[in-house]
Amino acid sequence: MAENVVGLTVQKVVEPDADPHAVNAKAKTEGDASGKHTHLIVDVPHAESQSGSVEATGPVIDYEVYPPPTEEERKTLRKVYDSIPIAAWSLCFVELAERASYYGVKAVFNNYMQFPLPEGGPGTGAIDRSKPNSHAGALNLGLQTASALGLLFTFFAYVIPIFGAWIADTKIGRYRAIVYGVLIGGVAHVIMIGGAAPALLQAGKGVAPFLISFFLLAFGAGIFKPNVAPTIIDQYEYQREYTKVLKSGEKVLVDPETTVSHIMLIFYAFVNVGAFFSIAIVYIEKYHSFWLAFLVPGIVYFLLPVLLAAMYKRTVRKPPQGSDLIRFVKISISALKASKGNVFSKQFWNRVKPSVLAEGGVHVSYSEKDVDDTRRTWEAVQIFLYIPIWILNDGGVGNVQSNQGAAMTSNGAPNDLLSNFNPLVIIIFSPLMAQVIYPFLERRKIKFGRISRMTFGFVLAIISGVIGAIVQYRVYETSPCGYNASTCDEVSPISIWWQIPNVALGAMSEVFVNVTAYELAYARAPEHMRATVVALFLFMTALSSALGEILVPSINDPTLVWAWAAPAIALFVQTILFWWRHRNVNDDVFMTYEEDYQELTRENEKVEREGK
């Protein structure tokens, strides 16, 4: 049934004073230019909100404002995105500030950990300016230790979101979780700045304060990250399709999927505006100090409480509802038991549908939609499982990209500059996709579905990995030290700017893979489990880091070519499997609604009454 619900003409009317638990259906006949149509109106609350926030139930929605499309209009009208609320824009700025601080400090972690204080430098970690091809350093932990710690940081930052999402969805709400994450991150920044004081670094005592701040920052980011994207999309309240006439006279279909995709493209662009901040930071570390390189992102970070306070009353803040997660787990376990553990059974979910169970005299508290939500969520998780291998191709395993840059001619540019060029590409490419490419495809009626977008992103990442391997091979061939280029005092004559194709293609692949994954996480999850499903998506980055940890022993001369080539080969094989297994999701319905399943529910209730 799920594949057909997109064709329903069901619409929702919101009554501000309606009982949140009462669902009253009534028929309404409405006329338009093409004749009269009968639609089912369901009086349900649009959303719940915490006290002090904008009432998520909003005004009464009627067909004068949101006229539903006919079947013909659904097939023929051009799809456009809806307007984006100001609260969503403000939360994008919150994400920008948090990511600016996160990526700002993370950008210098590798040099800070891997290399010693430069000889002839001022003792702050900065270089001797008479040696422009040298690089900043402080703790002298070496390549493998720095790579392992860098991967561990990423692992924690993307495992902790599971806890952050759980506590938000079940205990404290997503908005409060965002605030708690901000506070923890603030403490981390203060410790990190103090720990990089020149006196501590010169005395060799910088490791302990750095590691404390290192893990605190990962924890704060993990609480913050899974709750931002769902909260931003929550600000877009009327998540239904309707028609409107543009000033040009063209009648268009305002589409929820197009709108959510547009919001996520904007969100991802804001993420990378923040991440682009890191380019300035790598120059500060190289030519001034690490303490200032940590302080500047910290100053940006402390804008977060101001931004959150300014939009507090205008933000839709949904309260926690633990029942969705409990129900999700219950349905999943019931399906496993009913199929005797055979997860590949074609009847896996059908056996636990209330309508099927009712035929056998078994009655359950969950609905048909709950079962379908559970199925759709697990299907999204299956799709997410392809992401770890892709991540290994986006910038390489561990610190191989900055290490490669350190062995190339930089002419004064920081060795980690190009690895931080990634956000600039995304800042340019995201608006191009949102404002030019996707609208062009829509006008030409060219379908570029969710799985098609992700597959294209995987292909770009494969090419990126191959280019990384080729550049690494040329570095080895031209380095004065040959296949020991990473530890050579001299550098290859190849310019560091040859890393641009590798970085640019990896960045463009993110726009297709990450943005689409965010959309799937939100649209396919139960309403009060959205942060949890986003966290499961983010967890794939943690799995990739764990895989990277396994590969750390190979991240060394003379095998660095394979650190690029092997993930590219693995992703090539995986991409073929991904398309074959999941291409049907291109045509699956984007979002489902309770009333789509009401007819089945009524039939189930009828069976129950007849059985009494």
Side-chain angles (χ1 to χ4, degrees):
M1 173 175 177
E3 284 70 20
N4 299 321
V5 296
V6 73
L8 295 179
T9 54
V10 176
Q11 294 292 316
K12 173 161 63 177
V13 166
V14 179
E15 302 289 353
D17 298 322
D19 179 353
H21 302 290
V23 178
N24 304 310
K26 60 183 179 181
K28 173 181 178 180
T29 301
E30 174 178 313
D32 63 13
S34 60
K36 292 188 175 182
H37 304 279
T38 300
H39 302 287
L40 180 68
I41 299 177
V42 184
D43 296 336
V44 296
H46 191 68
E48 296 178 67
S49 65
Q50 292 174 321
S51 60
S53 68
V54 171
E55 287 298 322
T57 49
V60 173
I61 298 173
D62 60 45
Y63 296 135
E64 294 282 331
V65 180
Y66 299 108
T70 64
E71 282 299 324
E72 181 65 21
E73 288 173 333
R74 193 174 279 114
K75 294 175 183 177
T76 59
L77 294 183
R78 180 168 66 92
K79 293 179 180 179
V80 299
Y81 54 83
D82 210 339
S83 58
I84 301 175
I86 187 66
W89 285 103
S90 70
L91 287 169
C92 284
F93 276 103
V94 167
E95 174 73 1
L96 184 158
E98 191 274 341
R99 292 290 93 177
S101 69
Y102 175 86
Y103 284 114
V105 298
K106 187 173 183 286
V108 301
F109 279 176
N110 180 60
N111 283 352
Y112 190 72
M113 292 185 290
Q114 180 177 345
F115 301 112
L117 288 170
E119 291 184 13
T124 63
I127 66 167
D128 177 354
R129 290 175 182 259
S130 66
K131 301 175 182 178
N133 285 325
S134 60
H135 33 71
L139 302 182
N140 195 26
L141 299 177
L143 173 60
Q144 290 194 354
T145 301
S147 290
L149 284 172
L151 289 167
L152 186 63
F153 176 80
T154 303
F155 180 80
F156 276 118
Y158 288 96
V159 167
I160 293 168
I162 294 177
F163 168 75
W166 171 78
I167 198 170
D169 281 343
T170 62
K171 303 293 182 183
I172 63 176
R174 293 197 281 263
Y175 189 85
R176 189 176 295 178
I178 290 171
V179 173
Y180 289 170
V182 167
L183 294 176
I184 294 169
V187 174
H189 275 287
V190 171
I191 297 173
M192 190 172 291
I193 295 163
L200 284 177
L201 297 183
Q202 293 166 26
K205 297 182 179 179
V207 175
F210 174 72
L211 290 179
I212 293 170
S213 61
F214 182 85
F215 290 113
L216 272 178
L217 184 63
F219 189 77
I223 300 295
F224 177 93
K225 185 64 178 171
N227 294 293
V228 178
T231 304
I232 289 172
I233 301 176
D234 283 344
Q235 309 310 304
Y236 161 53
E237 295 187 80
Y238 189 72
Q239 299 178 359
R240 301 299 183 95
E241 57 183 6
Y242 66 94
T243 62
K244 73 175 182 179
V245 179
L246 303 178
K247 291 181 179 179
S248 64
E250 179 189 8
K251 192 173 188 180
V252 295
L253 178 66
V254 180
D255 178 55
E257 180 173 7
T258 304
T259 304
V260 171
S261 177
H262 188 74
I263 291 171
M264 285 295 95
L265 279 169
I266 293 171
F267 166 77
Y268 205 64
F270 270 77
V271 167
N272 286 278
V273 170
F276 186 62
F277 190 71
S278 60
I279 289 181
I281 304 305
V282 297
Y283 277 95
I284 293 174
E285 62 146 346
K286 181 164 186 173
Y287 293 109
H288 190 278
S289 63
F290 278 106
W291 70 263
L292 186 61
F294 292 147
L295 174 63
V296 174
I299 292 171
V300 176
Y301 190 88
F302 294 126
L303 294 174
L304 282 168
V306 177
L307 291 169
L308 290 170
M311 291 301 297
Y312 179 78
K313 290 187 176 180
R314 299 187 66 174
T315 303
V316 174
R317 305 188 307 282
K318 295 188 177 182
Q321 295 284 340
S323 57
D324 275 2
L325 182 58
I326 295 169
R327 190 159 48 240
F328 173 83
V329 173
K330 178 181 177 181
I331 292 170
S332 299
I333 293 173
S334 297
L336 276 171
K337 290 180 178 178
S339 65
K340 298 180 180 179
N342 181 11
V343 295
F344 300 105
S345 171
K346 293 182 178 180
Q347 298 297 314
F348 186 82
W349 298 111
N350 191 59
R351 290 190 179 101
V352 294
K353 286 184 175 180
S355 55
V356 174
L357 293 173
E359 292 175 3
V362 177
H363 306 289
V364 290
S365 59
Y366 55 80
S367 67
E368 299 283 335
K369 183 179 185 301
D370 294 330
V371 176
D372 205 41
D373 281 347
T374 305
R375 175 190 66 81
R376 284 163 54 85
T377 298
W378 280 118
E379 189 168 25
V381 171
Q382 288 180 50
I383 291 170
F384 298 159
L385 289 173
Y386 293 85
I387 287 177
I389 297 294
W390 164 73
I391 291 174
L392 294 180
N393 288 270
D394 183 14
V397 180
N399 296 318
V400 293
Q401 193 167 67
S402 61
N403 183 72
Q404 184 185 80
M408 301 171 78
T409 298
S410 64
N411 292 320
N415 65 295
D416 43 11
L417 172 65
L418 267 295
S419 61
N420 294 295
F421 193 74
N422 171 292
L424 177 61
V425 176
I426 294 173
I427 291 167
I428 296 170
F429 195 60
S430 290
L432 179 67
M433 294 302 301
Q435 302 294 339
V436 180
I437 305 299
Y438 286 153
F440 172 81
L441 294 176
E442 183 58 41
R443 282 193 294 271
R444 296 295 184 275
K445 300 296 181 183
I446 299 172
K447 185 175 178 61
F448 195 37
R450 303 147 213 158
I451 300 304
S452 298
R453 296 197 297 271
M454 293 187 74
T455 301
F456 187 70
F458 289 161
V459 171
L460 291 177
I462 292 168
I463 299 170
S464 172
V466 170
I467 291 173
I470 293 171
V471 170
Q472 185 64 53
Y473 172 75
R474 291 299 301 153
V475 167
Y476 278 151
E477 289 293 303
T478 58
S479 171
C481 300
Y483 279 70
N484 292 302
S486 298
T487 55
C488 191
D489 291 333
E490 302 295 326
V491 295
S492 164
I494 296 176
S495 171
I496 194 173
W497 297 99
W498 277 106
Q499 287 189 323
I500 286 181
N502 167 263
V503 173
L505 288 171
M508 287 188 278
S509 77
E510 291 183 32
V511 174
F512 295 104
V513 178
N514 274 343
V515 171
T516 305
Y518 271 116
E519 295 170 26
L520 289 170
Y522 185 89
R524 301 182 80 84
E527 182 179 0
H528 297 288
M529 258 187 67
R530 283 168 175 161
T532 301
V533 180
V534 168
L536 291 174
F537 157 55
L538 296 174
F539 179 66
M540 297 304 113
T541 301
L543 288 183
S544 181
S545 295
L547 184 57
E549 291 281 5
I550 295 171
L551 298 175
V552 161
S554 69
I555 306 176
N556 217 336
D557 293 328
T559 59
L560 290 177
V561 171
W562 283 104
W564 292 98
I569 294 169
L571 183 59
F572 175 78
V573 174
Q574 176 186 276
T575 301
I576 296 172
L577 178 64
F578 175 77
W579 175 258
W580 177 70
R581 283 286 311 275
H582 300 287
R583 63 187 185 277
N584 63 296
V585 177
N586 273 334
D587 302 314
D588 200 5
V589 64
F590 181 62
M591 299 181 80
T592 60
Y593 308 94
E594 186 61 50
E595 51 267 39
D596 297 335
Y597 302 85
Q598 284 186 347
E599 183 177 347
L600 287 175
T601 302
R602 286 194 294 270
E603 289 176 359
N604 194 25
E605 290 174 350
K606 182 179 179 181
V607 170
E608 184 177 353
R609 286 195 299 270
E610 290 174 353
K612 289 183 177 180

